[in-house]
Amino acid sequence: MIRPLSRTALVLDIVGASLLFALFLPMSLVFYSPGQLSTTVAEPVAVAAVVIAAVLQFGAVAVGRLAPGIALSVAWLGAIVQLLAGLGPLPINVAILGVLYATAAWGSTRIFWAGLGSAVIGGIIAALQIVFVNGMAGVFGIITTVVALTVVSVLTLGAPWLGGFGWRMVLRWRATRDAQARAEVAAAEEQERVRIARDMHDVVAHSLAVIIAQSDGARYAAASSPQIAAETLGTVAQTARAALSDVRMLLTQLRHRQGVGPQPTIADLEQLFEQVRQAGLEPRVTVDPMPPGEPPGAVQLAVYRILQEALTNAIRHGSGDTVDVRLAWMPDSVRIEVRNRLGDATAAPIGAGGHGIVGMRERAQLIGGVLRAERDGEEFVVHARLPIGEPFHSGPAGAPVGGTASGEETA
């Protein structure tokens, strides 16, 4: 298996392997006394075997990161040449340590375990070669010497493999961390798209409800009062322009990761109430107590969107001329109540098959609040409680925010 590797990294590996070859080959040739390089073949053959083994083993080092499996095979071929020539361990064998590191660090699962097996088998073969071919039985007996050399050889070859295994774990941890970071970014983007879709629903549903109500009024007034019909059509056009502006802003946010454009706040509630009045429904707003300062932006947005959806439902499904809106700004929370008389009692429940009530509930839950929307006799009531989460920022004392003063109702 050939791994993707940059040209710079490959050149560095080749240059590094070449330098090691130039350093360790002369050391290997003078490692033994003249004429004692090998006990089984002639000196020229032994020298040629050393050169060939060095080329193969350091060549394996050069491609260790690029193709760990090929590198392991080439290193074994060099080791076999060395064994057939009757050569014992030589300084050039440091290349084998680099190849074993590469198999553990960058090899596939099969190459990973092949590297471990090579360390064990190579250690055993090296110990037998030293004892039986090179005649180094030692003073402790053949068996004891073989066992001792096997342990030393396996540990020597296994150490770089363990080092490669450690680096493999580091690379896997980095990959997991990067994948988690990408997943978090994707989740955040998905949440942003869901928020924008929810905003789009609120804007379009509210605006269309106002436009439909105004259009019906203009149609009925066209014959008897053309002036009123013209004013009503002007209101329809104004509402449509505002909705188009909001939709464009949301689409701009959808195109860019960072949302641009202002979000509605409780300062925009009066404009919302005016749109509801123009649709023929009078909101009787009570704000008691008033907010002592400026609430957090997320709370203001949630209050606005919940009231927008609740009033839209009142326009579409209500039967009365009024809708009661109550806001209570407590030190640690804000409480919302919207109450309106229902129309046809046999009609489908508000929100059946739609997303309005679900969207209101999600908005409340998003900032840790709760919302209930239910029928109460002949009325439909929306209750919400949203936590503030932190003290208000200082603001103009006593300034009305989105409604009338404490305890008062709009006309």
Side-chain angles (χ1 to χ4, degrees):
M1 182 189 69
I2 298 179
R3 299 174 58 253
L5 191 65
S6 67
R7 182 176 299 178
T8 301
L10 181 59
V11 170
L12 289 176
D13 287 351
I14 293 174
V15 171
S18 300
L19 293 176
L20 292 174
F21 173 82
L23 174 65
F24 285 101
L25 177 60
M27 294 174 58
S28 298
L29 293 175
V30 299
F31 188 76
Y32 292 98
S33 301
Q36 297 182 358
L37 188 62
S38 173
T39 58
T40 59
V41 298
E43 185 74 6
V45 176
V47 171
V50 172
V51 174
I52 294 173
V55 170
L56 291 173
Q57 292 176 15
F58 284 107
V61 172
V63 297
R65 280 199 293 177
L66 179 66
I70 295 176
L72 183 63
S73 300
V74 173
W76 264 111
L77 182 59
I80 291 173
V81 170
Q82 187 175 341
L83 290 173
L84 293 177
L87 300 170
L90 294 170
I92 61 171
N93 297 138
V94 71
I96 296 177
L97 305 182
V99 173
L100 291 174
Y101 178 92
T103 60
W106 300 292
S108 62
T109 302
R110 184 175 61 181
I111 301 303
F112 174 81
W113 292 113
L116 177 60
S118 297
V120 175
I121 296 173
I124 296 173
I125 293 176
L128 295 175
Q129 172 81 1
I130 293 172
V131 173
F132 293 104
V133 177
N134 297 98
M136 299 176 63
V139 297
F140 300 104
I142 294 179
I143 296 178
T144 303
T145 303
V146 168
V147 171
L149 289 176
T150 298
V151 172
V152 172
S153 299
V154 170
L155 290 178
T156 302
L157 295 175
W161 184 90
L162 287 176
F165 174 73
W167 182 244
R168 186 188 193 92
M169 293 298 99
V170 171
L171 295 177
R172 183 169 298 179
W173 172 78
R174 288 180 178 177
T176 302
R177 182 191 60 184
D178 293 342
Q180 182 178 359
R182 289 193 297 269
E184 290 174 353
V185 170
E189 291 177 349
E190 180 63 23
Q191 290 177 357
E192 181 67 8
R193 284 192 290 269
V194 171
R195 181 193 69 79
I196 292 173
R198 194 161 48 227
D199 283 351
M200 191 82 73
H201 168 270
D202 293 346
V203 169
V204 173
H206 174 75
S207 300
L208 287 180
V210 173
I211 290 172
I212 291 172
Q214 291 289 317
S215 299
D216 288 341
R219 180 162 54 88
Y220 292 134
S224 59
S225 181
Q227 179 63 29
I228 296 178
E231 293 177 356
T232 304
L233 291 175
T235 301
V236 170
Q238 181 181 358
T239 303
R241 290 191 193 97
L244 179 60
S245 176
D246 288 341
V247 169
R248 283 176 175 171
M249 182 188 70
L250 292 172
L251 290 178
T252 300
Q253 295 181 17
L254 193 60
R255 285 195 298 268
H256 303 282
R257 291 188 178 184
Q258 297 296 331
V260 295
Q263 292 289 343
T265 65
I266 56 176
D268 300 307
L269 287 178
E270 190 55 47
Q271 182 180 356
L272 175 65
F273 297 147
E274 183 60 29
Q275 291 178 353
V276 174
R277 294 188 189 100
Q278 292 173 357
L281 185 64
E282 181 63 33
R284 298 185 299 192
V285 184
T286 302
V287 182
D288 184 19
M290 294 286 291
E294 184 177 358
V299 176
Q300 296 191 53
L301 178 61
V303 170
Y304 183 93
R305 292 304 187 195
I306 289 173
L307 287 176
Q308 184 181 49
E309 181 60 35
L311 292 172
T312 300
N313 285 338
I315 294 174
R316 296 171 59 186
H317 303 284
S319 63
D321 298 332
T322 61
V323 55
D324 291 319
V325 179
R326 291 184 175 85
L327 285 171
W329 293 92
M330 304 300 179
D332 60 345
S333 65
V334 55
R335 297 175 184 175
I336 304 171
E337 180 181 284
V338 180
R339 183 183 297 268
N340 65 275
R341 293 181 60 85
L342 287 172
D344 186 1
T346 62
I350 295 177
H355 303 282
I357 294 178
V358 174
M360 287 192 294
R361 186 172 292 114
E362 287 179 350
R363 287 190 180 279
Q365 293 174 350
L366 190 63
I367 59 174
V370 293
L371 183 140
R372 290 186 296 108
E374 58 191 4
R375 183 190 296 267
D376 184 9
E378 296 181 355
E379 294 181 324
F380 190 82
V381 185
V382 175
H383 292 281
R385 181 183 180 279
L386 310 178
I388 300 298
E390 60 183 25
F392 288 126
H393 300 293
S394 59
V401 184
T404 60
S406 173
E408 296 180 359
E409 297 184 350
T410 56

